[in-house]
Amino acid sequence: MDKLKMQSTNKVAENVKKIAELFPNTLTEVIKEYRKDGSPIMEYAIDFDLLRQELSDVLVEGPEERYQFTWPDKKSSILLSNAPIAKTLRPYREESADFDNTENLYIEGDNLEALKLLQETYLGKIKMIFIDPPYNTGNDFVYEDDFVQDTQQYLANSGQYDEMGNKLMQNTESNGRFHTDWLNMIYPRMRLSKDLMADDGVIFISIDDNEEENLKKICNEIFGEANFVATIVWKHTQQSKNDERHFSRQFNYILVYSKNKALLKDFYFDRTEEDNKNYSNPDNDSRGLWRSGDVRSPNYRKTLCYNIVAPNGSVINPPANGWRWSEESVKEKLKTGEIIFKKDFTGIIRKIYLSDQKGRIPENLWEGGRFGTTRQATAVIKDLFGGKQVFDTPKPVELVKSMCKIGTNKEDIVLDFFSGSATTAHAVMQINNEDGGKRKFIMVQLPEEVDEKTVAYKTGYKNICDIGKERIRRAGKKY
Ligand SMILES: C[S@@+](CC[C@H](N)C(=O)[O-])C[C@H]1O[C@@H](n2cnc3c(N)ncnc32)[C@H](O)[C@@H]1O
């Protein structure tokens, strides 16, 4: 008689996993027990406080010690992202080109509210998000939400409101809530953006050293560590500047997360001539250009260490770790011509055909023409605006186009809710023009006033939305 299995499956661990799939931010690690030597054995657990917070519309308190990344007002920002708002979007037909046909959207306002309003129509529908939020350099303005008592008092004292009564404050390190304010700003927005993403969607977030580490922690929490795709390092300048004491910074980061990595499509760039330079066809193979590939096993395997006998009878010994395939497979591949003997029968050659390559898998270091530089990005703006530099911190169209290339198909929707000069809209129009796609864009931008001393103001653009919308009109005309 078969013995009954006496082990039960670990139901608790399974349940923890199920809840973590729904609310990745509630997954934590706790001490399960101690070994004899006093060292702790850890296990995954659900942070009940955070789970209760997810299910509650009032603040939930809780003091337990556990593995977590937190900051003052974190729970308030969960509340803030879950709280509904009583606002609607008002269309401006007269400002829109072809309002009834294009499904592109330009939303003026605070992106927290916009992200909530978009949930109604776009829940689970956005394939790609690119955002370039304020990096928290100590100079940029961070939009303040309502819940932070300390900051409200600070604002009341300092009177830093913009003309529309919005609370735009310069986040300086002397603020005492430097990272806190930035985290409270970004966290609810990231949570809301995840819900807008399609199950096979992807988000690219550009950031620098100031908050990269914190951003990664909150993204791991919101999207789940398993959905981390990559940190791209983007070389934004070719110039070496002498304005820092220790390093001249030439790189920024772009964090890439998916909603569900298992569903995320494979990423490919088009292959360039440079990528194909190692392919040739010296033996007039009817399958076209090929290059030789590795025939060695990456790890030692005894069963893969066998001799191959060439047609002239000479014996080819295996490499140190063995061959890449079993003896059977090699025989098969020799028959199909995928493997051939070297002319002098001293070894074998594996053919990798160009026609089998779908494209080039992107590296996580982005530099050069395919991605552009900050300088090129500014030149594009100048060119569009008759020689006037109306926006100081644009990203290159090429950079965002590269993301669209790998992250979208031709009919997808792309969202940028820190859209600035609307580079993302420009990139979407340009890539559609190049590949015949019908991607749509949604831009969100706060009507942040521009300084009276700037070229933008003097040219007639009173806030950043004026600049973004004009760029879309001008770039749109080009295509
Ligand atoms: C670094 S810029 C983005 C530049 C953009 N990638 C480009 O290429 O032009 C960040 C933008 O986010 C905007 N912003 C900041 N807080 C915002 C908020 N709460 N809602 C909407 N936009 C906001 C700022 O006004 C600023 O223009």
Side-chain angles (χ1 to χ4, degrees):
M1 200 180 97
D2 283 347
K3 276 193 188 152
L4 275 182
K5 262 196 193 149
M6 294 307 287
Q7 258 176 331
S8 70
T9 53
N10 186 342
K11 272 277 169 221
V12 173
E14 268 176 32
N15 288 341
V16 165
K17 207 172 142 211
K18 279 183 205 159
I19 292 179
E21 270 165 21
L22 285 175
F23 301 102
N25 60 321
T26 64
L27 189 67
T28 184
E29 289 168 20
V30 292
I31 297 171
K32 185 182 176 191
E33 56 193 287
Y34 289 90
R35 295 186 187 90
K36 279 194 190 123
D37 66 4
S39 62
I41 301 175
M42 307 297 289
E43 69 175 355
Y44 284 117
I46 292 298
D47 183 330
F48 285 118
D49 279 341
L50 281 183
L51 185 61
R52 276 166 63 219
Q53 188 62 73
E54 287 291 351
L55 304 175
S56 167
D57 50 14
V58 291
L59 263 189
V60 173
E61 301 299 333
E64 286 161 50
E65 198 178 304
R66 62 209 168 234
Y67 172 79
Q68 61 178 348
F69 174 57
T70 194
W71 62 91
D73 300 317
K74 181 179 186 182
K75 280 202 238 157
S76 304
S77 64
I78 297 181
L79 259 188
L80 188 73
S81 54
N82 288 349
I85 50 162
K87 291 197 176 174
T88 48
L89 290 172
R90 190 156 43 96
Y92 276 91
R93 281 177 179 274
E94 52 298 351
E95 274 204 76
S96 312
D98 201 11
F99 186 88
D100 295 311
N101 290 320
T102 165
E103 288 162 44
N104 295 325
L105 271 184
Y106 188 92
I107 302 174
E108 289 186 37
D110 168 31
N111 51 17
L112 184 75
E113 292 175 344
L115 288 168
K116 288 185 183 183
L117 291 169
L118 288 169
Q119 305 276 323
E120 178 93 5
T121 317
Y122 290 95
L123 197 75
K125 295 210 175 123
I126 308 283
K127 182 56 94 40
M128 183 190 126
I129 300 177
F130 166 60
I131 51 165
D132 176 20
Y135 288 172
N136 212 16
T137 56
N139 294 320
D140 36 27
F141 285 88
V142 172
Y143 188 81
E144 284 300 303
D145 302 309
D146 286 335
F147 60 90
V148 187
Q149 185 61 33
D150 297 359
T151 308
Q152 273 185 343
Q153 267 163 10
Y154 171 82
L155 283 167
N157 296 339
S158 69
Q160 287 187 52
Y161 292 82
D162 73 5
E163 284 178 9
M164 299 172 71
N166 291 322
K167 299 164 289 293
L168 268 174
M169 64 160 252
Q170 193 165 17
N171 202 24
T172 57
E173 277 181 78
S174 59
N175 168 10
R177 296 175 51 90
F178 186 58
H179 293 291
T180 296
D181 277 347
W182 191 85
L183 286 163
N184 281 326
M185 185 280 292
I186 203 76
Y187 186 72
R189 287 162 174 86
M190 296 306 305
R191 285 169 58 94
L192 287 161
S193 62
K194 181 190 169 194
D195 294 335
L196 291 176
M197 281 163 70
D199 287 340
D200 57 352
V202 62
I203 182 165
F204 297 86
I205 313 155
S206 93
I207 199 73
D208 74 1
D209 287 322
N210 289 291
E211 296 292 349
E212 189 267 341
E213 171 193 8
N214 288 335
L215 182 65
K216 188 161 183 208
K217 282 194 185 120
I218 61 171
C219 285
N220 277 345
E221 193 184 297
I222 291 169
F223 294 96
E225 261 181 77
N227 289 315
F228 167 74
V229 183
T231 300
I232 300 170
V233 174
W234 169 54
K235 188 168 184 185
H236 60 79
T237 180
Q238 304 292 342
Q239 272 72 43
S240 219
K241 289 183 284 173
N242 273 334
D243 56 359
E244 293 217 42
R245 285 185 53 216
H246 306 114
F247 287 98
S248 163
R249 276 165 229 258
Q250 296 187 308
F251 294 93
N252 281 163
Y253 311 103
I254 300 169
L255 297 192
V256 190
Y257 279 83
S258 57
K259 178 116 166 226
N260 180 345
K261 203 163 155 190
L263 302 179
L264 186 64
K265 73 184 183 83
D266 293 348
F267 286 170
Y268 293 108
F269 282 139
D270 295 339
R271 297 184 70 85
T272 61
E273 273 180 27
E274 176 66 18
D275 296 333
N276 296 342
K277 70 172 192 260
N278 292 331
Y279 288 80
S280 62
N281 194 355
D283 57 350
N284 275 327
D285 191 318
S286 58
R287 291 183 64 188
L289 298 172
W290 59 272
R291 68 171 173 85
S292 62
D294 205 343
V295 294
R296 299 165 302 177
S297 166
N299 305 309
Y300 174 74
R301 294 263 299 281
K302 199 174 167 199
T303 51
L304 298 179
C305 296
Y306 51 86
N307 291 334
I308 297 176
V309 182
N312 70 344
S314 62
V315 174
I316 306 169
N317 295 322
N321 283 342
W323 301 106
R324 205 179 179 87
W325 315 267
S326 70
E327 201 164 356
E328 287 300 288
S329 302
V330 167
K331 279 185 186 148
E332 198 50 41
K333 286 177 196 296
L334 280 165
K335 266 192 218 148
T336 61
E338 193 185 327
I339 291 178
I340 55 172
F341 286 100
K342 285 187 180 167
K343 276 204 179 108
D344 58 5
F345 297 117
T346 56
I348 54 170
I349 295 173
R350 166 193 177 199
K351 287 179 162 183
I352 296 181
Y353 291 96
L354 184 57
S355 55
D356 288 339
Q357 307 303 315
K358 290 193 201 147
R360 185 190 170 92
I361 297 174
E363 281 100 28
N364 56 0
L365 174 65
W366 285 14
E367 63 176 320
R370 199 177 232 167
F371 309 107
T373 59
T374 311
R375 195 176 261 211
Q376 285 165 348
T378 326
V380 167
I381 295 257
K382 263 188 163 173
D383 188 46
L384 264 185
F385 284 85
K388 296 191 167 135
Q389 196 192 319
V390 295
F391 192 79
D392 285 337
T393 56
K395 285 283 178 287
V397 176
E398 295 301 322
L399 182 75
V400 187
K401 222 170 70 184
S402 293
M403 297 173 205
C404 292
K405 250 189 198 143
I406 56 179
T408 64
N409 294 316
K410 290 182 180 175
E411 308 274 322
D412 288 331
I413 307 174
V414 177
L415 166 68
D416 181 344
F417 53 91
F418 285 98
S419 62
S421 68
T423 304
T424 304
H426 192 157
V428 167
M429 290 189 281
Q430 192 166 313
I431 192 176
N432 280 346
N433 185 255
E434 285 168 10
D435 70 4
K438 292 191 173 128
R439 296 169 189 82
K440 308 280 185 293
F441 62 77
I442 303 175
M443 298 294 105
V444 184
Q445 172 58 39
L446 195 69
E448 184 184 330
E449 304 284 320
V450 298
D451 195 305
E452 288 183 19
K453 291 187 227 78
T454 57
V455 176
Y457 191 90
K458 288 177 190 151
T459 318
Y461 305 114
K462 301 285 177 282
N463 65 51
I464 296 177
C465 295
D466 291 343
I467 301 168
K469 286 184 292 185
E470 185 59 21
R471 179 175 189 182
I472 293 173
R473 280 186 214 107
R474 290 183 185 218
K477 264 192 205 143
K478 265 177 91 172
Y479 308 118

